[in-house]
Amino acid sequence: MAKIDYYELLGVERGVDAGTLKSAYRKLAMQYHPDRNPGDREAETKFKEVSEAYEVLSDDEKRRLYDQFGHAAFDGAAGGPGGGGFGFSNSTFADVFEDLFGEFMGGNGRGGRGGGGRGADLRYDLQIDLEDAFHGRETEIDVPSSQACQSCDGTGAEAGSKPQTCTTCQGYGKVRTQQGFFTIERTCPRCHGAGQMIENPCRACNGGGRVQQQKTLQVNIPPGVEDGTRIRLSGEGEAGLRGGPPGDLYIFISIAQHQLFRREGTNVYCRVPISMVTAALGGDIEVPTVGGGRVAIQVPAGTQTGKQFRLRGKGMPALQRAGVGDMYIQTMVETPSNLNKRQKELLREFESAGGGRETSPESAGFFGKVKEFWDDLTD
């Protein structure tokens, strides 16, 4: 099968300059690279084709021969001017694959000098009350973590000395090796990625540049904070290794269960038991709010369990935005218990005085439907 024209394969015009040619190849190599297309034979073949095209066109002499003789210039069997076959040159791809592997590995391509590693991020779980979430508060927390060693200012080297650049990786923290036209990058085995060697380690931190200690931090909890909210304190995590930047501290908020209130977003719910007499005859009750206030509610006569009263603006404040939720009072009619003899007599008198459909319409209606259901089954 005839080979595709190299210029057409790379999507460039004849006479293209070296920079544009490299850019076109780099884009296609990123697209078809085997690491990005595992198991895709078609992508692997395409990658080899564009690499072959770039190998030829990026070399001035090979490009001149290709422009004159086409693919025959490198076909030894055809007796072309190229003779002895076609092969890849490591030097041709070194700069391109340095960029490619930098992106595959999450780096910046050319890399940078090694040095102290960034400190680890820390997590702190903080439980607060619902009232704290309502009002907001400032609190102190004690966090055990590593801090930069004061004796060596975090360098890890004894006073009067300083870390030396690693001679194996020249301070980059990584070493590169060529395998074919691929560039493989690994952590330097001598300095373990630090890029520096310490000949005289600090005695206080044993060359680590950091020591374990506990620190006290002031934490501001904003009003309206919700269960699961995460607060980030930049730079308050573990100290970096040998002068590296510190990590961050993440505070995860959990809100303790309240004995009176249940929260859903910015709304607050409170179940309030009322006596059978208050439910039947009506009356006034006083209920608490999550903010610590009191609100009077007028209970209408005939109130049933589950009746809901809405108190606008008495819920939780919205986190970092305007607005306040509502509070919902849910009544729960309490059935009398532990009755004395006289109380039982009064209830029986009430029942015999006409308690039934008029005073308990829902109950009478339900059992009326039950009777109809049974009658239908016997017909």
Side-chain angles (χ1 to χ4, degrees):
M1 184 174 65
K3 287 187 175 182
I4 303 175
D5 180 82
Y6 285 155
Y7 291 100
E8 181 181 344
L9 196 59
L10 295 177
V12 296
E13 300 289 338
R14 288 180 179 271
V16 65
D17 62 85
T20 304
L21 181 70
K22 178 181 176 181
S23 179
Y25 166 67
R26 187 177 184 277
K27 179 179 179 181
L28 292 171
M30 291 287 289
Q31 179 181 350
Y32 296 112
H33 196 281
D35 288 351
R36 290 193 169 183
N37 303 275
D40 190 336
R41 293 293 183 86
E42 185 176 342
E44 183 180 351
T45 300
K46 196 73 174 179
F47 177 76
K48 291 179 179 178
E49 289 177 347
V50 297
S51 297
E52 179 182 316
Y54 181 70
E55 161 70 10
V56 172
L57 300 183
S58 61
D59 183 283
D60 291 340
E61 179 60 21
K62 291 180 181 179
R63 183 173 178 178
R64 183 187 66 79
L65 293 172
Y66 180 77
D67 289 344
Q68 185 175 358
F69 299 103
H71 293 295
F74 309 100
D75 187 354
F86 178 85
F88 292 111
S89 167
N90 290 342
S91 60
T92 303
F93 292 94
D95 57 343
V96 175
F97 277 88
E98 190 173 328
D99 291 340
L100 290 176
F101 274 85
E103 292 196 20
F104 290 145
M105 297 180 181
N108 59 1
R110 298 282 176 179
R113 289 282 175 180
R118 181 181 183 275
D121 293 333
L122 297 179
R123 170 174 176 152
Y124 187 95
D125 294 323
L126 177 63
Q127 187 179 73
I128 62 173
D129 296 329
L130 185 62
E131 290 86 351
D132 294 332
F134 179 86
H135 296 288
R137 61 172 289 193
E138 287 189 358
T139 186
E140 287 186 348
I141 61 173
D142 294 323
V143 182
S145 67
S146 62
Q147 303 297 307
C149 177
Q150 299 298 316
S151 299
C152 63
D153 292 327
T155 65
E158 191 66 40
S161 65
K162 62 181 180 179
Q164 302 297 315
T165 300
C166 175
T167 56
T168 300
C169 64
Q170 305 303 317
Y172 282 92
K174 296 178 181 180
V175 292
R176 291 187 173 122
T177 57
Q178 292 286 141
Q179 293 185 4
F181 58 84
F182 288 99
T183 300
I184 306 300
E185 188 175 75
R186 297 186 177 91
T187 300
C188 177
R190 185 163 186 259
C191 67
H192 304 291
Q196 297 176 329
M197 299 295 296
I198 297 179
E199 302 296 336
N200 299 308
C202 172
R203 297 178 184 178
C205 63
N206 296 318
R210 53 188 182 182
V211 293
Q212 289 294 126
Q213 67 180 50
Q214 184 166 282
K215 59 182 177 181
T216 301
L217 298 174
Q218 194 81 13
V219 181
N220 181 37
I221 301 173
V225 67
E226 298 185 19
D227 193 86
T229 296
R230 185 181 69 172
I231 299 175
R232 173 174 172 261
L233 298 183
S234 179
E236 297 295 351
E238 293 274 5
L241 183 63
R242 296 179 184 173
D248 299 329
L249 173 64
Y250 291 91
I251 300 173
F252 285 79
I253 303 295
S254 63
I255 300 177
Q257 185 175 353
H258 200 276
Q259 60 180 346
L260 296 177
F261 305 110
R262 177 174 59 86
R263 178 184 183 180
E264 290 186 9
T266 57
N267 293 328
V268 175
Y269 295 83
C270 181
R271 295 186 66 186
V272 179
I274 60 176
S275 69
M276 183 183 70
V277 175
T278 301
L281 303 180
D284 293 331
I285 60 172
E286 194 174 61
V287 297
T289 65
V290 69
R294 301 180 181 183
V295 177
I297 295 178
Q298 187 175 29
V299 178
T303 294
Q304 304 295 319
T305 291
K307 171 70 175 178
Q308 193 164 263
F309 300 88
R310 180 182 183 185
L311 304 179
R312 293 183 181 274
K314 296 299 182 180
M316 297 290 294
L319 179 62
Q320 296 180 343
R321 57 185 175 87
V324 180
D326 300 328
M327 182 174 177
Y328 292 88
I329 302 298
Q330 298 170 324
T331 59
M332 181 179 63
V333 180
E334 187 174 16
T335 302
S337 60
N338 302 318
L339 299 175
N340 59 34
K341 182 179 179 181
R342 177 55 182 158
Q343 290 170 329
K344 293 178 181 179
E345 290 174 353
L346 290 173
L347 286 178
R348 292 191 182 100
E349 289 178 13
F350 168 77
E351 184 71 17
S352 61
R357 182 176 296 274
E358 292 77 12
T359 56
S360 302
E362 289 191 19
S363 177
F366 173 78
F367 287 107
K369 293 176 182 178
V370 170
K371 184 177 181 304
E372 292 176 2
F373 173 72
W374 284 336
D375 289 344
D376 290 340
L377 292 178
T378 57
D379 287 346

